[in-house]
Amino acid sequence: MRSSLYGPRGRHAPTPVGDGVWRLPVLVERNTPPVVNVYALACADRIVLVDAGWDEVSLRTLRSGLAALGAGLDAVEGVLLTHAHPDHAGLAQALQQQTGCWVAAHRAEWGAFEDGGDVGNRGGARPLGMLDRLGAPASTAQALEAKFGGIPLLPRPVLTPLDDGQAAPTRGRRIQAVRTPGHSPGHLCFLDESGVLFAGDHLLPGLRPRLYLDGDTPRQGADGEGADGEGADDEGPDPVGDYLASLDRTQPLSGSLLPGHGEPVADAAALHERARAHYTGRGEQILAALPTDRPVSAWKVADRVRQTERPGSHHSQAAHYLAAVEAYAFLRHWQRLGRVEMRETVGEPPRWRVAPGAPHRTGALQQA
Protein backbone atom coordinates (compact mmCIF):
# COMPACT_ATOMS: atom_id res chain seq x y z
CA MET A 1 0.00 0.00 0.00
CA ARG A 2 1.50 3.31 -1.03
CA SER A 3 1.78 5.84 1.78
CA SER A 4 0.46 8.51 -0.59
CA LEU A 5 -2.87 6.76 -1.02
CA TYR A 6 -4.49 8.99 1.58
CA GLY A 7 -2.54 12.10 0.71
CA PRO A 8 -4.30 15.42 -0.04
CA ARG A 9 -4.71 14.44 -3.69
CA GLY A 10 -5.43 10.75 -3.06
CA ARG A 11 -8.60 9.67 -4.83
CA HIS A 12 -9.42 7.37 -1.91
CA ALA A 13 -8.95 10.03 0.74
CA PRO A 14 -11.57 10.14 3.52
CA THR A 15 -14.10 12.92 3.06
CA PRO A 16 -16.67 14.49 5.40
CA VAL A 17 -20.20 13.60 4.26
CA GLY A 18 -22.25 14.82 7.22
CA ASP A 19 -22.11 16.11 10.76
CA GLY A 20 -19.50 13.89 12.40
CA VAL A 21 -19.57 11.44 9.47
CA TRP A 22 -16.68 10.59 7.13
CA ARG A 23 -16.62 8.39 4.07
CA LEU A 24 -13.59 6.09 3.98
CA PRO A 25 -13.30 4.39 0.57
CA VAL A 26 -11.71 1.03 1.42
CA LEU A 27 -9.98 -1.11 -1.19
CA VAL A 28 -11.14 -4.70 -1.60
CA GLU A 29 -8.65 -6.68 -3.65
CA ARG A 30 -10.95 -9.55 -4.62
CA ASN A 31 -14.14 -7.65 -5.35
CA THR A 32 -15.99 -5.87 -8.14
CA PRO A 33 -16.37 -2.97 -7.61
CA PRO A 34 -12.93 -2.81 -5.96
CA VAL A 35 -13.83 -0.10 -3.42
CA VAL A 36 -16.40 -0.32 -0.63
CA ASN A 37 -17.52 2.69 1.35
CA VAL A 38 -16.88 2.37 5.07
CA TYR A 39 -18.35 5.24 7.08
CA ALA A 40 -16.79 6.51 10.29
CA LEU A 41 -19.23 8.12 12.72
CA ALA A 42 -18.24 10.22 15.72
CA CYS A 43 -20.12 8.74 18.67
CA ALA A 44 -19.25 10.42 21.98
CA ASP A 45 -15.45 10.10 22.18
CA ARG A 46 -15.22 6.98 19.99
CA ILE A 47 -15.82 5.93 16.39
CA VAL A 48 -18.48 3.57 15.05
CA LEU A 49 -18.06 2.13 11.57
CA VAL A 50 -20.77 1.30 9.09
CA ASP A 51 -19.41 -1.82 7.33
CA ALA A 52 -15.78 -2.89 7.35
CA GLY A 53 -14.20 -4.23 4.15
CA TRP A 54 -12.88 -7.71 3.51
CA ASP A 55 -9.18 -8.55 3.38
CA GLU A 56 -5.69 -7.45 4.39
CA VAL A 57 -5.71 -4.76 1.71
CA SER A 58 -8.95 -3.48 3.21
CA LEU A 59 -7.44 -3.46 6.69
CA ARG A 60 -4.42 -1.45 5.59
CA THR A 61 -6.64 1.01 3.74
CA LEU A 62 -8.94 1.34 6.73
CA ARG A 63 -5.99 2.01 9.05
CA SER A 64 -4.73 4.70 6.69
CA GLY A 65 -8.16 6.28 6.48
CA LEU A 66 -8.56 6.43 10.24
CA ALA A 67 -5.03 7.81 10.59
CA ALA A 68 -5.95 10.62 8.20
CA LEU A 69 -8.72 11.47 10.67
CA GLY A 70 -6.25 11.43 13.55
CA ALA A 71 -7.53 8.11 14.91
CA GLY A 72 -6.42 4.50 15.11
CA LEU A 73 -8.18 1.17 15.26
CA ASP A 74 -8.29 1.52 19.04
CA ALA A 75 -10.83 4.33 18.58
CA VAL A 76 -13.36 1.94 17.02
CA GLU A 77 -16.14 1.11 19.49
CA GLY A 78 -18.45 -0.81 17.18
CA VAL A 79 -19.30 -1.90 13.65
CA LEU A 80 -22.78 -1.72 12.15
CA LEU A 81 -23.09 -4.24 9.31
CA THR A 82 -25.57 -3.48 6.57
CA HIS A 83 -25.28 -7.11 5.43
CA ALA A 84 -22.96 -10.08 5.53
CA HIS A 85 -21.44 -10.09 2.06
CA PRO A 86 -17.66 -10.35 2.26
CA ASP A 87 -16.77 -6.92 0.89
CA HIS A 88 -18.82 -5.37 3.71
CA ALA A 89 -18.36 -7.86 6.56
CA GLY A 90 -15.26 -9.95 5.92
CA LEU A 91 -13.12 -7.85 8.30
CA ALA A 92 -15.64 -7.86 11.14
CA GLN A 93 -14.05 -10.60 13.20
CA ALA A 94 -10.51 -9.26 12.72
CA LEU A 95 -11.59 -5.79 13.85
CA GLN A 96 -13.33 -7.25 16.87
CA GLN A 97 -10.28 -9.29 17.83
CA GLN A 98 -7.97 -6.28 17.53
CA THR A 99 -10.19 -3.68 19.18
CA GLY A 100 -12.77 -5.53 21.31
CA CYS A 101 -15.52 -3.68 19.42
CA TRP A 102 -19.07 -4.93 19.15
CA VAL A 103 -20.41 -6.04 15.75
CA ALA A 104 -24.15 -5.68 15.10
CA ALA A 105 -26.21 -7.23 12.29
CA HIS A 106 -29.70 -8.53 11.65
CA ARG A 107 -30.17 -12.17 12.63
CA ALA A 108 -31.12 -13.15 9.08
CA GLU A 109 -27.48 -12.42 8.11
CA TRP A 110 -25.87 -14.49 10.85
CA GLY A 111 -25.86 -17.71 8.82
CA ALA A 112 -23.30 -16.17 6.45
CA PHE A 113 -20.73 -16.43 9.26
CA GLU A 114 -21.35 -20.05 10.20
CA ASP A 115 -18.85 -22.77 9.38
CA GLY A 116 -19.66 -24.84 6.35
CA GLY A 117 -21.95 -23.92 3.51
CA ASP A 118 -20.87 -22.40 0.23
CA VAL A 119 -20.36 -19.08 -1.47
CA GLY A 120 -24.06 -18.45 -2.06
CA ASN A 121 -24.69 -16.77 1.28
CA ARG A 122 -21.62 -14.64 0.81
CA GLY A 123 -22.52 -12.56 -2.18
CA GLY A 124 -21.32 -14.81 -4.98
CA ALA A 125 -23.11 -17.36 -7.13
CA ARG A 126 -24.28 -20.57 -5.48
CA PRO A 127 -23.91 -23.46 -7.92
CA LEU A 128 -25.16 -26.28 -5.69
CA GLY A 129 -28.90 -26.85 -5.74
CA MET A 130 -29.71 -23.86 -7.91
CA LEU A 131 -28.19 -25.45 -11.02
CA ASP A 132 -30.82 -28.17 -11.09
CA ARG A 133 -33.64 -25.72 -10.46
CA LEU A 134 -32.45 -23.43 -13.24
CA GLY A 135 -32.01 -26.16 -15.84
CA ALA A 136 -28.33 -25.28 -16.30
CA PRO A 137 -25.99 -27.51 -18.35
CA ALA A 138 -23.80 -29.85 -16.31
CA SER A 139 -20.66 -27.96 -17.38
CA THR A 140 -21.88 -24.84 -15.53
CA ALA A 141 -20.64 -26.12 -12.17
CA GLN A 142 -17.03 -26.14 -13.40
CA ALA A 143 -17.42 -22.66 -14.93
CA LEU A 144 -18.76 -21.31 -11.65
CA GLU A 145 -15.95 -22.89 -9.67
CA ALA A 146 -13.42 -21.18 -11.94
CA LYS A 147 -15.21 -17.83 -11.61
CA PHE A 148 -16.34 -17.83 -7.97
CA GLY A 149 -14.41 -20.63 -6.28
CA GLY A 150 -11.79 -20.11 -3.61
CA ILE A 151 -13.67 -17.49 -1.62
CA PRO A 152 -13.05 -18.24 2.07
CA LEU A 153 -15.83 -18.51 4.60
CA LEU A 154 -16.42 -15.40 6.67
CA PRO A 155 -14.88 -15.67 10.13
CA ARG A 156 -17.62 -15.36 12.73
CA PRO A 157 -17.39 -12.47 15.21
CA VAL A 158 -19.46 -12.29 18.37
CA LEU A 159 -22.60 -10.74 16.93
CA THR A 160 -25.06 -8.33 18.51
CA PRO A 161 -28.62 -8.68 17.15
CA LEU A 162 -30.13 -5.59 15.61
CA ASP A 163 -33.77 -5.69 14.56
CA ASP A 164 -35.94 -3.47 12.41
CA GLY A 165 -36.71 -0.17 14.12
CA GLN A 166 -34.22 -0.78 16.90
CA ALA A 167 -31.75 1.90 17.96
CA ALA A 168 -28.14 0.94 17.35
CA PRO A 169 -25.96 0.56 20.47
CA THR A 170 -24.18 3.86 19.81
CA ARG A 171 -23.36 6.40 22.51
CA GLY A 172 -24.09 10.07 21.90
CA ARG A 173 -25.68 9.50 18.49
CA ARG A 174 -29.08 8.06 17.62
CA ILE A 175 -29.07 5.66 14.68
CA GLN A 176 -32.10 3.55 13.80
CA ALA A 177 -31.97 0.22 11.97
CA VAL A 178 -34.32 -0.12 9.00
CA ARG A 179 -34.67 -3.63 7.62
CA THR A 180 -34.49 -3.65 3.83
CA PRO A 181 -34.38 -7.25 2.51
CA GLY A 182 -33.82 -7.72 -1.20
CA HIS A 183 -30.09 -7.66 -1.84
CA SER A 184 -29.77 -10.00 1.13
CA PRO A 185 -32.41 -11.46 3.45
CA GLY A 186 -31.46 -9.37 6.49
CA HIS A 187 -30.07 -6.25 4.86
CA LEU A 188 -30.21 -3.19 7.09
CA CYS A 189 -30.08 0.50 6.27
CA PHE A 190 -29.24 2.91 9.08
CA LEU A 191 -31.08 6.20 9.54
CA ASP A 192 -28.87 8.73 11.28
CA GLU A 193 -30.30 11.40 13.58
CA SER A 194 -29.18 13.97 10.99
CA GLY A 195 -31.56 12.45 8.42
CA VAL A 196 -28.84 10.78 6.34
CA LEU A 197 -29.52 7.17 5.33
CA PHE A 198 -26.64 4.69 5.23
CA ALA A 199 -27.90 2.43 2.45
CA GLY A 200 -25.34 -0.36 2.08
CA ASP A 201 -26.15 -2.17 -1.16
CA HIS A 202 -29.88 -1.48 -0.98
CA LEU A 203 -29.48 1.41 -3.45
CA LEU A 204 -26.37 2.15 -5.49
CA PRO A 205 -25.72 5.01 -7.93
CA GLY A 206 -25.00 3.60 -11.37
CA LEU A 207 -25.44 -0.02 -10.25
CA ARG A 208 -28.39 -2.29 -9.58
CA PRO A 209 -28.00 -4.58 -6.57
CA ARG A 210 -28.40 -8.27 -7.26
CA LEU A 211 -31.22 -9.82 -5.30
CA TYR A 212 -30.58 -12.68 -2.91
CA LEU A 213 -31.07 -16.24 -4.04
CA ASP A 214 -34.45 -17.83 -3.44
CA GLY A 215 -33.73 -20.43 -0.77
CA ASP A 216 -30.84 -18.63 0.96
CA THR A 217 -32.94 -18.33 4.12
CA PRO A 218 -36.62 -18.62 4.95
CA ARG A 219 -38.49 -15.41 4.24
CA GLN A 220 -38.94 -13.35 7.39
CA GLY A 221 -41.42 -10.62 8.22
CA ALA A 222 -40.65 -7.29 9.82
CA ASP A 223 -41.13 -8.87 13.23
CA GLY A 224 -38.10 -11.03 12.58
CA GLU A 225 -39.91 -14.38 12.70
CA GLY A 226 -38.45 -17.07 10.50
CA ALA A 227 -39.88 -20.13 8.81
CA ASP A 228 -40.78 -21.74 12.11
CA GLY A 229 -42.14 -18.57 13.67
CA GLU A 230 -45.50 -16.93 13.67
CA GLY A 231 -44.50 -14.40 11.00
CA ALA A 232 -43.24 -16.95 8.49
CA ASP A 233 -44.40 -16.90 4.89
CA ASP A 234 -45.43 -20.42 3.87
CA GLU A 235 -44.77 -19.71 0.19
CA GLY A 236 -41.06 -19.25 0.80
CA PRO A 237 -38.70 -16.42 -0.08
CA ASP A 238 -39.65 -13.68 -2.54
CA PRO A 239 -36.59 -11.48 -3.08
CA VAL A 240 -38.35 -9.37 -5.73
CA GLY A 241 -41.33 -8.64 -3.49
CA ASP A 242 -39.00 -8.06 -0.56
CA TYR A 243 -36.97 -5.52 -2.52
CA LEU A 244 -40.00 -3.61 -3.77
CA ALA A 245 -41.36 -3.41 -0.22
CA SER A 246 -37.96 -2.19 0.98
CA LEU A 247 -38.00 0.60 -1.61
CA ASP A 248 -41.38 1.66 -0.24
CA ARG A 249 -39.91 1.78 3.26
CA THR A 250 -36.84 3.85 2.49
CA GLN A 251 -38.19 6.25 -0.13
CA PRO A 252 -39.84 8.62 2.39
CA LEU A 253 -37.00 8.45 4.93
CA SER A 254 -34.29 10.65 3.53
CA GLY A 255 -33.33 13.15 0.88
CA SER A 256 -29.65 12.26 1.26
CA LEU A 257 -28.26 8.76 0.91
CA LEU A 258 -24.81 7.28 1.60
CA PRO A 259 -24.37 4.08 -0.47
CA GLY A 260 -22.07 1.12 0.06
CA HIS A 261 -20.36 1.81 -3.28
CA GLY A 262 -20.04 5.03 -5.24
CA GLU A 263 -20.57 8.67 -4.42
CA PRO A 264 -23.08 10.12 -1.94
CA VAL A 265 -26.53 10.70 -3.42
CA ALA A 266 -28.21 14.05 -2.78
CA ASP A 267 -31.48 13.14 -4.55
CA ALA A 268 -32.45 9.82 -2.99
CA ALA A 269 -36.01 10.06 -4.34
CA ALA A 270 -34.77 9.97 -7.94
CA LEU A 271 -32.53 6.99 -7.19
CA HIS A 272 -35.49 5.14 -5.70
CA GLU A 273 -37.53 5.81 -8.82
CA ARG A 274 -34.72 4.65 -11.12
CA ALA A 275 -34.36 1.42 -9.13
CA ARG A 276 -38.10 0.79 -9.21
CA ALA A 277 -38.23 1.48 -12.95
CA HIS A 278 -35.31 -0.90 -13.56
CA TYR A 279 -36.86 -3.81 -11.69
CA THR A 280 -40.30 -3.16 -13.13
CA GLY A 281 -38.82 -3.18 -16.62
CA ARG A 282 -36.81 -6.30 -15.90
CA GLY A 283 -39.87 -8.10 -14.64
CA GLU A 284 -41.70 -7.13 -17.82
CA GLN A 285 -38.86 -8.45 -19.99
CA ILE A 286 -38.86 -11.78 -18.20
CA LEU A 287 -42.64 -12.11 -18.39
CA ALA A 288 -42.58 -11.25 -22.10
CA ALA A 289 -39.95 -13.95 -22.69
CA LEU A 290 -42.28 -16.68 -21.44
CA PRO A 291 -44.25 -18.79 -23.91
CA THR A 292 -47.98 -19.26 -23.42
CA ASP A 293 -47.93 -22.91 -24.43
CA ARG A 294 -44.82 -25.03 -23.86
CA PRO A 295 -43.20 -24.28 -20.48
CA VAL A 296 -39.44 -23.59 -20.40
CA SER A 297 -36.73 -23.52 -17.73
CA ALA A 298 -35.38 -20.37 -16.09
CA TRP A 299 -32.12 -21.00 -17.97
CA LYS A 300 -34.02 -20.84 -21.26
CA VAL A 301 -35.93 -17.73 -20.14
CA ALA A 302 -32.63 -15.95 -19.44
CA ASP A 303 -31.43 -16.93 -22.92
CA ARG A 304 -34.62 -15.60 -24.51
CA VAL A 305 -34.26 -12.28 -22.66
CA ARG A 306 -30.65 -11.95 -23.80
CA GLN A 307 -31.52 -12.70 -27.43
CA THR A 308 -34.27 -10.07 -27.29
CA GLU A 309 -31.85 -7.49 -25.90
CA ARG A 310 -28.79 -8.42 -27.97
CA PRO A 311 -29.62 -10.83 -30.82
CA GLY A 312 -26.76 -13.20 -31.59
CA SER A 313 -24.81 -12.34 -28.42
CA HIS A 314 -23.37 -14.91 -26.05
CA HIS A 315 -22.95 -15.01 -22.28
CA SER A 316 -20.23 -16.78 -20.41
CA GLN A 317 -21.76 -19.63 -18.40
CA ALA A 318 -21.10 -17.74 -15.16
CA ALA A 319 -22.87 -14.63 -16.49
CA HIS A 320 -25.72 -16.76 -17.82
CA TYR A 321 -26.05 -18.39 -14.40
CA LEU A 322 -26.49 -15.00 -12.72
CA ALA A 323 -29.03 -13.96 -15.36
CA ALA A 324 -30.94 -17.22 -14.85
CA VAL A 325 -30.96 -16.71 -11.07
CA GLU A 326 -32.49 -13.28 -11.65
CA ALA A 327 -35.06 -14.78 -14.02
CA TYR A 328 -35.90 -17.46 -11.46
CA ALA A 329 -36.54 -14.81 -8.78
CA PHE A 330 -38.90 -12.89 -11.06
CA LEU A 331 -40.67 -16.07 -12.19
CA ARG A 332 -41.30 -17.03 -8.58
CA HIS A 333 -42.64 -13.54 -7.93
CA TRP A 334 -44.96 -13.66 -10.94
CA GLN A 335 -46.10 -17.10 -9.79
CA ARG A 336 -47.08 -15.69 -6.40
CA LEU A 337 -49.18 -13.09 -8.21
CA GLY A 338 -50.90 -15.70 -10.37
CA ARG A 339 -49.34 -14.47 -13.60
CA VAL A 340 -47.04 -17.44 -14.20
CA GLU A 341 -47.56 -21.18 -13.95
CA MET A 342 -44.81 -23.56 -12.87
CA ARG A 343 -44.73 -27.21 -13.89
CA GLU A 344 -42.56 -29.74 -12.08
CA THR A 345 -41.62 -33.25 -13.14
CA VAL A 346 -39.52 -35.59 -11.04
CA GLY A 347 -35.91 -35.42 -12.16
CA GLU A 348 -36.47 -32.29 -14.25
CA PRO A 349 -36.01 -28.57 -13.51
CA PRO A 350 -39.13 -26.47 -12.90
CA ARG A 351 -40.54 -25.12 -16.14
CA TRP A 352 -42.58 -21.97 -16.57
CA ARG A 353 -45.18 -20.47 -18.85
CA VAL A 354 -47.70 -17.65 -18.71
CA ALA A 355 -50.64 -18.77 -16.57
CA PRO A 356 -53.74 -19.65 -18.62
CA GLY A 357 -56.03 -16.65 -18.82
CA ALA A 358 -53.40 -14.22 -17.51
CA PRO A 359 -52.38 -11.26 -19.68
CA HIS A 360 -48.92 -11.63 -21.16
CA ARG A 361 -47.91 -8.16 -20.04
CA THR A 362 -48.67 -5.99 -17.04
CA GLY A 363 -48.13 -2.33 -16.25
CA ALA A 364 -46.16 -2.77 -13.05
CA LEU A 365 -44.75 -5.30 -10.66
CA GLN A 366 -46.71 -5.67 -7.47
CA GLN A 367 -45.92 -6.87 -4.02
CA ALA A 368 -47.29 -10.24 -3.04
Side-chain angles (χ1 to χ4, degrees), residues 50-344:
V50 175
D51 290 332
W54 186 352
D55 47 29
E56 286 298 321
V57 173
S58 298
L59 183 59
R60 292 197 297 270
T61 313
L62 180 60
R63 284 182 183 273
S64 297
L66 291 172
L69 300 178
L73 286 182
D74 57 352
V76 175
E77 181 178 37
V79 179
L80 295 170
L81 294 180
T82 58
H83 61 298
H85 288 170
D87 53 328
H88 295 259
L91 265 185
Q93 187 202 53
L95 286 174
Q96 189 175 71
Q97 289 178 340
Q98 293 189 42
T99 69
C101 68
W102 49 260
V103 177
H106 192 277
R107 288 184 184 274
E109 298 294 295
W110 288 21
F113 294 100
E114 293 176 353
D115 293 337
D118 56 52
V119 73
N121 280 342
R122 294 159 184 85
R126 180 168 63 179
L128 301 178
M130 278 301 295
L131 290 180
D132 291 335
R133 283 189 278 165
L134 297 175
S139 58
T140 307
Q142 185 175 358
L144 290 175
E145 179 63 26
K147 178 70 174 178
F148 298 109
I151 298 177
L153 301 176
L154 296 189
R156 186 185 182 96
V158 177
L159 290 163
T160 298
L162 196 55
D163 295 325
D164 180 58
Q166 184 177 345
T170 49
R171 297 181 301 116
R173 189 180 200 105
R174 179 168 177 79
I175 302 170
Q176 182 181 355
V178 181
R179 188 178 179 193
T180 50
H183 180 61
S184 70
H187 192 287
L188 291 175
C189 291
F190 298 106
L191 183 61
D192 186 62
E193 61 185 15
S194 66
V196 168
L197 186 72
F198 298 94
D201 284 355
H202 172 54
L203 283 160
L204 299 169
L207 297 171
R208 298 293 176 260
R210 294 195 180 276
L211 305 183
Y212 71 86
L213 297 186
D214 177 11
D216 272 355
T217 66
R219 193 178 184 198
Q220 298 185 348
D223 57 2
E225 296 291 346
D228 299 324
E230 187 176 338
D233 186 331
D234 292 337
E235 295 186 58
D238 179 18
V240 175
D242 285 347
Y243 186 70
L244 293 173
S246 294
L247 288 177
D248 287 342
R249 297 201 68 202
T250 55
Q251 186 155 5
L253 291 182
S254 173
S256 179
L257 183 145
L258 298 178
H261 304 275
E263 298 295 322
V265 177
D267 188 355
L271 185 58
H272 277 82
E273 290 305 321
R274 287 196 295 271
R276 192 181 304 279
H278 169 81
Y279 285 101
T280 297
R282 199 64 173 167
E284 291 291 340
Q285 286 179 305
I286 289 166
L287 187 62
L290 274 180
T292 56
D293 48 6
R294 181 177 59 88
V296 296
S297 68
W299 192 267
K300 181 63 175 178
V301 172
D303 185 59
R304 290 165 70 109
V305 170
R306 176 174 54 82
Q307 290 299 334
T308 299
E309 292 180 328
R310 298 180 295 279
S313 65
H314 295 280
H315 269 164
S316 69
Q317 280 190 303
H320 198 122
Y321 170 78
L322 294 174
V325 167
E326 180 185 53
Y328 186 89
F330 277 100
L331 291 169
R332 285 291 305 270
H333 183 72
W334 285 127
Q335 181 188 13
R336 294 169 70 92
L337 298 177
R339 307 301 304 279
V340 162
E341 180 180 82
M342 181 182 72
R343 299 225 176 145
E344 288 189 282

